[in-house]
Each structure stands twice: as C-alpha cells, then as structure tokens.
Amino acid sequence: MPYSMDVFDDVVRRILTMTRPAKVLDIGPGAGKYGRMVREIDRNSATFTSLTCVEIDQKRVIQAFSLDKIYDRVLNEDAAKLIRTMPEITGDLAILGDVIEHLTKSEGRDLLEFLQYRFRHVILIIPVDYPSLSWIGPDGTNHAQEAHVSIWLPSDFSSMRGAYCVERPAEEFRFLLCAVNGIRLKPSEHLVIKNLDPAAPPQNEPFCAVSSQHGIQFGYLNRS
C-alpha cells in the first residue's frame, strides 16, 4: 500500500535532523511521507536537500500522489534493477520504508550491498509479520508488487558492517528499524540505533538523541 504506519517516524525524523544529509534517495516512497519529512526539516533549518525517489508504480503512486512536486527526481523503476540501471547513483542517505519485504531475500541482499557502497547511511523500516498480498485493480491489472514475499529479522543484518536493528510492536505486528552504514565509513563513525537500557543514565553527548516515549537511543558510535 502507498501508506505506512508511523511506528518509527519519530526516529527517522531525528536521524534526518542529526545527519543533515545533502542527498537522499527514497526507495518505495509511497505517498511521499519521508520526502515531506525532509522538506519540513529543510524549511525549519533553511537548508536544501536533493531528493530522489524510486517507485515502480507510475499511475497508482507517482501520478496519484504527485511525487514530482515533492522530489527533485522521480525514477519509475523496479528497485531490484537499480544495480544495473543506475550504477552511478550515490548520496548521503538511502531510505527503504516498507520496501525490502516486497523483494526476495536474494534481491534485497543484493540491493543492500549495492547501497552500502554508494551511501553513507542506509535506513530500513520493515514490517516483520504484517501480511500483504497482491491484488487485482479495477482495470484488471495485477499489482503483484504489493505482496510481501520475504521476512527480515535482525539476524539477517548481523553480517553487515555497522548494522543495528530496533524492534517495536504496532498493534499485533512487529516492525524493525535497521541502520546499515556504508562500508566506506570508519567504524568510529558508525551510526548506532539500539534499545536504551532503562537502568543506564541517559547519554548527554551532542550526537546522541533519545526517544523518551519508546526508549530508543541513536547517534554516532565513538564520535566526538
């Protein structure tokens, strides 16, 4: 669906504010939630972010939500094919919100490794056990890309350099937010997202932010 739950919106907004990316790639933007979030931050901070999105559905998403009014560049493309069609793409932050579960495990893994080379940070929001099937539109079109075809767990990111995951429940479902840092980064610059130990005192470093509502700590590891 072109809309997604707001379970991690607060964390994504703070990451965007903290990292201040100059170039953002939004893969599977849907109605453009994260693009609008970036534009709001731009207005509040008097900055400009170059925004590109990748969306497979031209009529039902790109046109229906006027994504060209939000993003500087709209690519009507299958995200799994970016590896071959857009090998030159690069930037500071890639966002995959409710996207990777629509790809097979092999497609998703290949895409992540491709993005690691090209972006300083990669952020994923993943519904773990939220079922979604393909559906037939009024015109008879089979929207097969709407189906969830893979399940992603923190263990799937354990071998990726600088990867961290946080899980949150939403209704009866579970959602993950994962940060995958580009392999070009030094370990001392890895972005950390993790559950905050309630027994530990809050960190006061300027690079670290804490969500008081959900106890999520994130920031740069070993960075002053």
Side-chain angles (χ1 to χ4, degrees), residues 12 15-16 19 21 23-27 34 52 82 89-97 111-112 114-116 118-125 178-180:
V12 174
I15 290 173
L16 288 167
T19 59
K23 294 176 65 177
V24 172
L25 176 67
D26 188 358
I27 298 180
Y34 298 117
T52 299
L82 283 180
I89 199 163
T90 187
D92 301 301
L93 175 66
I95 303 174
L96 295 86
L111 179 59
L112 283 177
F114 169 80
L115 294 172
Q116 273 197 300
R118 288 156 176 81
F119 289 82
R120 291 184 60 81
H121 298 298
V122 182
I123 303 297
L124 303 99
I125 297 88
C178 299
V180 178

Side-chain angles (χ1 to χ4, degrees), residues 104-119:
T104 65
K105 265 304 180 46
S106 59
E107 289 174 330
R109 183 74 186 193
D110 288 347
L111 179 59
L112 283 177
E113 291 184 356
F114 169 80
L115 294 172
Q116 273 197 300
Y117 275 108
R118 288 156 176 81
F119 289 82

Side-chain angles (χ1 to χ4, degrees), residues 85-162:
T85 60
M86 297 289 294
E88 74 281 4
I89 199 163
T90 187
D92 301 301
L93 175 66
I95 303 174
L96 295 86
D98 293 34
V99 169
I100 203 166
E101 68 279 2
H102 295 276
L103 307 178
T104 65
K105 265 304 180 46
S106 59
E107 289 174 330
R109 183 74 186 193
D110 288 347
L111 179 59
L112 283 177
E113 291 184 356
F114 169 80
L115 294 172
Q116 273 197 300
Y117 275 108
R118 288 156 176 81
F119 289 82
R120 291 184 60 81
H121 298 298
V122 182
I123 303 297
L124 303 99
I125 297 88
I126 309 169
V128 176
D129 44 18
Y130 190 102
S132 180
L133 305 176
S134 62
W135 59 278
I136 306 298
D139 60 355
T141 302
N142 181 12
H143 296 270
Q145 71 272 12
E146 294 288 351
H148 292 181
V149 298
S150 59
I151 296 175
W152 294 78
L153 301 171
S155 57
D156 292 306
F157 300 90
S158 61
S159 64
M160 304 195 80
R161 189 173 179 182

